[in-house]
Every structure is written in structure tokens, then in C-alpha cells.
Amino acid sequence: MENLSVSATRLRASQATRWTSVRIVPPMNLVFFGPPGAGKGTQADRFAANHGIPKISTGDMLRQAVAEGSRVGTLVRDTLQAGALVTDDLIISLVAERREQPDTTGGFVLDGFPRTIPQAAALDAMLAERGGVNVVALVVHADEVVRRLSVRGREDDDAWVIKERLRVYSRETEPVLEFYRRRGAVTILDGNRPLDEVTAAIEAAVTRGLKATG
Ligand code: ADP
């Protein structure tokens, strides 16, 4: 009995030695965070392409559903037009389903999710066994956000809807930043700068090592 436990300990020790000699690259699970117009969608596209990981954009998924006229699309069309949030249950199940695709195992960039505290809690549960999440938050002045959105001209970019989306952002979404900040998981970058400079700043932050959730 004693021998057995000794050899079990040795076995564990030798496995540990072998494992430490292998460089384990954890999956890069990133959340790009910021108000509408912060440029997070563009930066998430670039980052995903540079690192060969998928971008999961809830806004794109919803707009695609609307364009296809799917059941989900019919459910969310009016909500998108009004600049309100779709329900947590719906968006959480869309993200959970997407994250089960095999292309996400090496990591992914989330754009537009989580946008509420229940969504952040659901993401935690989804990632329980798959490493934590790093948050890259782009900070942009309010007047710059309004300027960018009004030139973009998406269907939900008219003046009234922009205002509503910004209100929703400060009420529902900003608390999510605080949720991650308390864990020291947020890297904050200045999103007022030109796109290429922000891209470079994100890459530099990743090279330095992002702040991770515990
Ligand atoms: P932006 O960040 O420019 O406002 P998005 O493309 O991220 O644009 O989102 C567009 C719309 O899609 C939102 O205004 C909202 O109606 C809906 N939406 C996207 N992501 C979520 C989410 N995580 N939770 C609830 N609604 C969402």
C-alpha cells in the first residue's frame, strides 16, 4: 500500500516535470469592450484575422438573423431598430451555441457581449473549464462617439436611436466594466486615436501580457 502511494506520488511528480517543459499556450479568450462607436468591431475584426481566431459579434449575428428573416430575426428586429437590448436569455443562448463550434477552442474575440451583468455571469459559467477572459476596453469621448456613429449610417444610427443606445450603454453595460475591473481583468486603451494606432496599441498590450481574470 505504501509502495503504491509512493509510486503514485513519483508518477505525479514526473508528469508535472514533463508538463512544465511543454509550453502551454492558453486559449486567448478576449472581450472587446466599449460604447457604440468605440471601434471595437473593427478592432475585433483585425485582431481575429491577425491571430487566426474567430470574432464573435452579437450585433453581426443579430443583423444577419434579421436579414435572413429567421425566427430569431423576426423576434429581434424591432428591438434593434429601437436601440434597446435583446433579452439576456436569447443572446446568451446564441453565444453559447456559437462557442460550441470547434473553431473557438484556441480562443475567440467577443464583440458586443457581454453587455449586462447576467451576460457576464453566463460567460463566466461558459468558460469555467476553458481559461478566463481578458477584457480590452476602448475609452472614447462622448462627442467622438456621436460623430463616428452619425457618419457610419447603419440603420440603427439615426440621432434618436444613437442617444438611446448610449443611454442603454451607461445604464446596463458600463457596470460590466466595473465587474471585470474589480477582478483586475481589464486593459484600458485610448480609443480616440486613429484606427491603426489603436490596433498597434492592442497588439502591444497583448505582447506585454493582458490582465487576466483570476
Ligand atoms: P454597437 O456597439 O455599435 O451599438 P452592435 O452591433 O454591437 O452595435 O449591436 C447592435 C444592437 O444589437 C444593439 O443595439 C442591441 O439591440 C443588439 N445587441 C447586440 N449585442 C447584444 C447583447 N449582448 N445583448 C443585448 N442586445 C445586443
Side-chain angles (χ1 to χ4, degrees):
M1 216 35 223
E2 203 185 304
N3 272 343
L4 197 85
S5 79
V6 167
S7 64
T9 310
R10 276 210 197 108
L11 183 66
R12 273 197 298 275
S14 74
Q15 277 175 341
T17 316
R18 231 180 321 130
W19 284 339
T20 50
S21 67
V22 178
R23 192 165 167 267
I24 296 167
V25 181
M28 218 174 349
N29 302 328
L30 290 180
V31 171
F32 278 26
F33 197 92
K40 57 190 189 306
T42 308
Q43 297 300 342
D45 270 334
R46 291 180 173 192
F47 191 89
N50 286 345
H51 294 267
I53 54 178
K55 173 182 102 155
I56 302 178
S57 161
T58 45
D60 287 352
M61 287 162 83
L62 295 172
R63 280 185 291 277
Q64 194 189 336
V66 172
E68 285 168 355
S70 68
R71 190 184 58 86
V72 168
T74 321
L75 280 174
V76 303
R77 193 184 48 221
D78 293 348
T79 311
L80 259 66
Q81 287 286 0
L85 294 183
V86 310
T87 64
D88 286 335
D89 283 353
L90 178 90
I91 205 80
I92 289 166
S93 67
L94 282 183
V95 172
E97 208 175 284
R98 176 64 187 88
R99 216 198 48 85
E100 273 164 24
Q101 304 294 312
D103 64 339
T104 66
T105 49
F108 51 82
V109 185
L110 278 167
D111 161 30
F113 183 94
R115 247 176 166 94
T116 65
I117 296 287
Q119 291 178 20
L123 182 63
D124 270 355
M126 282 182 222
L127 294 179
E129 305 278 303
R130 305 242 319 239
V133 70
N134 296 106
V135 180
V136 173
L138 300 177
V139 177
V140 186
H141 300 138
D143 47 357
E144 175 64 9
V145 158
V146 174
R147 193 192 64 76
R148 288 183 188 178
L149 292 177
S150 17
V151 297
R152 182 168 73 178
R154 210 169 64 194
E155 234 181 290
D156 58 348
D157 283 341
D158 83 49
W160 186 88
V161 185
I162 290 174
K163 268 202 191 133
E164 179 58 16
R165 280 160 53 214
L166 291 174
R167 265 198 297 269
V168 170
Y169 176 79
S170 25
R171 196 177 58 224
E172 309 278 347
T173 308
E174 258 187 331
V176 176
L177 193 57
E178 193 48 37
F179 171 94
Y180 287 119
R181 219 148 50 153
R182 283 212 198 103
R183 300 184 184 176
V186 181
T187 300
I188 294 184
L189 298 173
D190 176 7
N192 293 291
R193 294 171 293 172
L195 279 180
D196 289 351
E197 282 183 34
V198 178
T199 305
I202 294 172
E203 292 299 336
V206 170
T207 307
R208 277 197 311 272
L210 291 170
K211 295 171 181 147
T213 47

